[in-house]
Amino acid sequence: MTDGGQRDGLSSNRPARISDHFLFMRKFFRHRRKIASIWPSSRFMARACISQVNFSQARLIVELGAGTGAITQAILAAIRPTTRVISIERDGDFFRVLQDRFHGSAGHHLEFLQGDVTHLTDMLRGCGVNDGGVDAFISGLGTPSLPETAREGILHALQWAAKPDCVFSNITEIPLYYLPFYRRHFGDVQFEFVPLNVPPGGVYHCRQVKRL
Ligand SMILES: C[S@@+](CC[C@H](N)C(=O)[O-])C[C@H]1O[C@@H](n2cnc3c(N)ncnc32)[C@H](O)[C@@H]1O
């Protein structure tokens, strides 16, 4: 879906937080590992997750595991109108929330794709992304605890699509626990602690993906 509506409509289209929380809780208790979180990210987590994106230069940002759009909204509030955003979510209910929430409200080049990051490279190719064309990957996924095929799907896509200075920023709800995982796969890893989130968490900002 590509939106081309009014930019200033975004603020009036703020996420309905209470319904998001109920939807997250319901899904978490049913599919725990697939959702990975009982609560959507706080605005502090969303801001931290995009804090290393160079918005004045970014032409293409890819968001993984968009949920109900807590981080999508922060991205849209920060980008230039010419920046393209591709936002990926696997779950059908979350995907519908995203479409309803952001439809006609962004005035940006925003596309939502429903699919599994296991096939991330093919998904990006399918929407015309070129080799080395992505400025930033913003991830709400529980990447280290995904099935191996999904982790490899992400890492392959990064190797193929990341610009040399591309950042991969990934939220976590267990501060620093997965640092060895990120250090194993990236040459440069920084951790940003985010206390104001339920539960308190943080963001790994990673560059220089290593070959698998
Ligand atoms: C922890 S939630 C984060 C949601 C949102 N970004 C936020 O911060 O509030 C993780 C999201 O990733 C999605 N997800 C999990 N595995 C996925 C996969 N393999 N491919 C695409 N999305 C996935 C889940 O459906 C869920 O919406």
Side-chain angles (χ1 to χ4, degrees):
M1 180 190 85
T2 305
D3 283 333
Q6 296 300 310
R7 183 175 187 176
D8 60 5
L10 192 62
S11 52
S12 61
N13 232 349
R14 277 182 180 282
R17 304 300 297 188
I18 299 291
S19 59
D20 288 1
H21 290 107
F22 279 119
L23 184 58
F24 256 86
M25 270 196 288
R26 197 156 44 85
K27 295 224 158 254
F28 181 75
F29 288 120
R30 265 195 216 148
H31 313 285
R32 216 164 275 247
R33 276 197 69 192
K34 288 187 173 170
I35 302 303
S37 181
I38 195 169
W39 226 232
S41 288
S42 69
R43 64 179 194 279
F44 304 97
M45 179 70 96
R47 266 188 230 143
C49 202
I50 63 169
S51 66
Q52 296 215 357
V53 179
N54 183 347
F55 284 104
S56 63
Q57 308 232 312
R59 295 165 65 107
L60 174 57
I61 296 172
V62 176
E63 184 189 13
L64 310 177
T68 52
I71 301 175
T72 320
Q73 180 142 7
I75 296 171
L76 292 184
I79 57 171
R80 297 174 302 149
T82 49
T83 306
R84 182 182 182 196
V85 179
I86 298 174
S87 205
I88 295 171
E89 173 54 52
R90 179 180 60 186
D91 182 88
D93 293 325
F94 285 154
F95 186 73
R96 276 185 287 281
V97 170
L98 289 168
Q99 287 188 306
D100 290 349
R101 180 153 298 154
F102 294 101
H103 177 71
S105 68
H108 293 289
H109 301 284
L110 169 65
E111 296 147 59
F112 290 113
L113 298 182
Q114 186 179 4
D116 192 311
V117 292
T118 304
H119 313 292
L120 185 55
T121 304
D122 288 341
M123 291 169 83
L124 295 178
R125 276 206 184 101
C127 47
V129 174
N130 295 323
D131 184 348
V134 178
D135 295 276
F137 284 87
I138 301 297
S139 172
L141 299 166
T143 301
S145 47
L146 289 175
E148 193 176 342
T149 49
R151 290 199 309 263
E152 287 181 357
I154 296 168
L155 293 166
H156 275 301
L158 279 165
Q159 283 162 15
W160 173 75
K163 286 186 181 172
D165 56 348
C166 174
V167 66
F168 173 77
S169 294
N170 201 122
I171 66 171
T172 184
E173 296 186 342
I174 319 176
L176 292 170
Y177 182 76
Y178 289 113
L179 189 58
F181 167 86
Y182 287 99
R183 286 211 171 129
R184 201 160 53 245
H185 292 292
F186 294 89
D188 177 359
V189 179
Q190 295 163 40
F191 182 75
E192 183 174 351
F193 181 50
V194 182
L196 296 177
N197 190 67
V198 179
V203 180
Y204 294 97
H205 300 289
C206 311
R207 292 183 171 80
Q208 301 163 16
V209 64
K210 298 177 185 172
R211 298 245 145 238
L212 278 175

